[in-house]
Amino acid sequence: MSRAARLLDLMELLRRHRHPVPGPTLAAQLGISLRSLYRDIATLQAQGAQIEGEAGLGYVLKPGFTLPPLMFSADEVEALVLGSRWVAGRADDEVLAAAARHALAKISAVLPAGLRHEMDSTALLVGPGEPLPRLDQVLARLRAAMRQECKVRLQYRDLKGRSSERVVWPFALGFFDQARVLVAWCELRGERRSFRCDQIEGLEVLEQRYPQRRQVLLKAWREAEGIAAQ
């Protein structure tokens, strides 16, 4: 393994942990000596990586550090382009669609010339789909509520035409070809429920935060449904 590849592997190992990882553990996982590990960490710190810690205490990478562009392979670039094009072309949330286009532009700006050519010339295209109702405001407000972990009051009409008002704890949005679906804990039913976003007739984001972390709710739902983490 080249040293450049080893440095990237070290960064990936550190990114997986939120707490300090002992040096011997990192060295063993990389298959290198402690001396080499200390040199690699010093190299990354000199290049701007915010790695905190020291020998005997362990090391942790502070959030927010961006990996260098050489971490992307040609296949990874194509996957990023295809996913971003799907969101830009098929999302019924213009804010999210614009964010996808801006992300593509930022990725292109920092890629090495060879990978930028791969990105510009990729033949992976997103075909047109069935038109969906415009839900820009609904989806944008739901995404904001999830980020802030705030409760939401819904005026909802189910597929049988029955109306109800309920307070929910939104923790996931599913993007399907034919519908957008909110997954939330429903205070009215006392259980997790799914709501089609095009059936939401009114939405108010409340100031009150729900009592559990969004990640905890999402993990419990995935385990109950047998859905693997992405």
Side-chain angles (χ1 to χ4, degrees):
M1 179 186 297
S2 68
R3 186 159 188 255
R6 193 174 76 220
L7 291 174
L8 288 176
D9 285 348
L10 174 55
M11 289 292 296
E12 283 297 313
L13 283 175
L14 290 169
R15 286 174 70 90
R16 296 175 196 163
H17 298 86
R18 297 184 179 181
H19 304 288
V21 185
T25 300
L26 292 171
Q29 292 184 9
L30 292 168
I32 60 177
S33 67
L34 267 177
R35 183 186 297 272
S36 295
L37 175 74
Y38 296 150
R39 276 202 307 267
D40 289 351
I41 287 176
T43 298
L44 291 171
Q45 289 172 329
Q47 293 178 356
Q50 296 182 337
I51 301 173
E52 294 186 344
E54 58 185 75
L57 297 178
Y59 298 91
V60 63
L61 177 67
K62 293 186 66 176
F65 181 77
T66 302
L67 287 176
L70 63 87
M71 75 165 293
F72 295 123
S73 67
D75 288 337
E76 289 168 339
V77 168
E78 286 194 331
L80 288 169
V81 171
L82 183 61
S84 297
R85 284 178 175 174
W86 189 95
V87 174
R90 299 283 296 278
D92 44 347
D93 177 345
E94 186 53 39
V95 175
L96 205 59
R101 290 190 290 269
H102 294 161
L104 271 182
K106 288 181 179 180
I107 292 171
S108 177
V110 299
L111 284 176
L115 285 178
R116 188 180 305 118
H117 174 73
E118 292 285 347
M119 180 176 180
D120 294 339
S121 61
T122 179
L124 302 184
L125 306 176
V126 177
E130 294 294 326
L132 290 169
R134 298 302 304 182
L135 298 169
D136 298 52
Q137 292 301 315
V138 169
L139 295 179
R141 293 171 70 189
L142 287 175
R143 290 192 293 108
M146 286 193 296
R147 284 195 296 266
Q148 298 163 10
E149 298 181 340
C150 287
K151 295 184 179 184
V152 171
R153 179 178 288 112
L154 297 181
Q155 300 289 337
Y156 188 72
R157 182 181 298 275
D158 66 21
L159 294 177
K160 294 182 179 180
R162 297 172 299 196
S163 296
S164 63
E165 178 179 295
R166 56 189 75 198
V167 174
V168 302
W169 311 348
F171 61 84
L173 274 172
F175 288 73
F176 299 90
D177 285 340
Q178 302 299 324
R180 306 297 180 247
V181 177
L182 169 69
V183 187
W185 178 268
C186 177
E187 292 187 353
L188 178 65
R189 303 300 183 191
E191 60 184 3
R192 291 180 292 268
R193 299 296 292 266
S194 297
F195 305 92
R196 282 184 56 131
C197 294
D198 57 345
Q199 301 295 119
I200 296 174
E201 298 183 324
L203 184 157
E204 178 187 2
V205 179
L206 306 178
E207 294 184 1
Q208 183 182 6
R209 299 185 66 179
Y210 44 79
Q212 296 187 47
R213 297 303 305 272
R214 178 169 58 88
Q215 293 87 344
V216 173
L217 293 168
L218 181 59
K219 181 180 179 181
W221 174 71
R222 279 175 168 162
E223 291 175 349
E225 298 293 327
I227 299 174
Q230 298 180 352

